[in-house]
Amino acid sequence: MVRKKFREILKEQSKVTDEQLQEAVAEQEKSGGLIGQILMRKGYIKKEDIAKALATRLNIPFIEKIKEQMIDTTMLSKIPLKFLRQHVVIPIMYEGSKVIVTANPRDLEPIDDLSLLLGGDVDVAVATDTSIVEAINKYYPLETSKEMMEKLEEEDEFKLEDLEQKDIMEMANDAPIVNLVNHILVQAV
């Protein structure tokens, strides 16, 4: 089976006109670059259009938004946060299977690394880099506020009922309080 060119898929999906494609091809021949990036830079298409066309071309699913139901925190906790952010990938459960969602399915190295780490037998899907980064920031299993509060209450000198404003000021440099406030700020952002 012959795969269609990326530009043909965009045209079939009514995302670009013949004139826009010709303009992008001319620029590509002059200065290089990817057709999708050129079209996006000119404002003819969006990131979502590129991701959908790429998914169609590679015959893999496009995931518009990564939802909480798709997240397996046990699986996610096996992977360092730095790796996920650096490669803009996230493993999810999709239609009963382990799926690695990436913005660049042509970059096989992080996909292979994750596949090995997750025990093989994983599929690949495409999403925008914005959607993936948002999911990483929202769902990566950091210590939750509830767990932090429980840890604070376990300490002998700290009881939430007895807390006064002067106590908070004195405890400002204590690590658990700093961690709690930092966690709350990260979640808010």
Side-chain angles (χ1 to χ4, degrees):
M1 181 177 132
V2 177
R3 280 199 281 186
K4 293 181 181 178
K5 289 186 174 184
F6 187 76
R7 60 185 91 165
E8 293 170 359
I9 295 169
L10 285 172
K11 190 165 178 337
E12 282 178 4
Q13 293 176 347
S14 301
K15 300 297 178 186
V16 292
T17 65
D18 284 330
E19 295 79 28
Q20 292 170 334
L21 274 175
Q22 289 171 357
E23 184 182 330
V25 169
E27 185 174 323
Q28 183 186 39
E29 290 171 355
K30 191 181 344 176
S31 60
L34 300 171
I35 290 287
Q37 296 299 322
I38 294 168
L39 289 167
M40 193 171 78
R41 192 171 49 244
K42 291 185 171 291
Y44 298 146
I45 60 174
K46 300 176 186 164
K47 285 181 183 181
E48 292 82 12
D49 301 326
I50 292 174
K52 286 177 186 175
L54 194 54
T56 300
R57 183 162 197 269
L58 299 174
N59 198 27
I60 58 178
F62 167 73
I63 298 181
E64 189 170 337
K65 182 167 174 62
I66 299 169
K67 299 178 181 147
E68 189 173 3
Q69 306 87 282
M70 299 174 171
I71 300 299
D72 180 343
T73 53
T74 306
M75 181 172 60
L76 196 56
S77 67
K78 293 178 182 178
I79 303 146
L81 180 60
K82 183 178 179 182
F83 180 88
L84 297 175
R85 286 190 174 150
Q86 180 180 356
H87 296 287
V88 192
V89 295
I90 187 168
I92 64 169
M93 293 301 292
Y94 182 72
E95 296 179 354
S97 300
K98 293 177 190 174
V99 175
I100 298 169
V101 182
T102 178
N104 185 5
R106 294 180 186 133
D107 186 5
L108 298 177
E109 187 177 335
I111 295 169
D112 289 343
D113 291 347
L114 280 180
S115 180
L116 282 171
L117 192 63
L118 298 174
D121 196 30
V122 296
D123 296 320
V124 177
V126 176
T128 62
D129 57 347
T130 307
S131 179
I132 294 169
V133 169
E134 181 181 297
I136 291 169
N137 291 339
K138 190 172 184 179
Y139 301 120
Y140 191 81
L142 298 171
E143 191 173 27
T144 65
S145 299
K146 184 178 179 182
E147 290 167 345
M148 287 182 176
M149 293 301 288
E150 288 170 2
K151 196 184 288 185
L152 284 172
E153 287 179 346
E154 288 173 7
E155 294 181 6
D156 292 335
E157 75 273 357
F158 184 80
K159 297 288 182 216
L160 288 177
E161 308 84 53
D162 304 329
L163 194 62
E164 294 179 21
Q165 185 175 1
K166 66 179 177 134
D167 294 330
I168 293 175
M169 300 304 268
E170 291 172 8
M171 297 167 67
N173 293 326
D174 287 353
I177 292 291
V178 172
N179 286 338
L180 177 63
V181 171
N182 286 341
H183 177 72
I184 291 170
L185 290 173
V186 166
Q187 292 299 318
V189 169

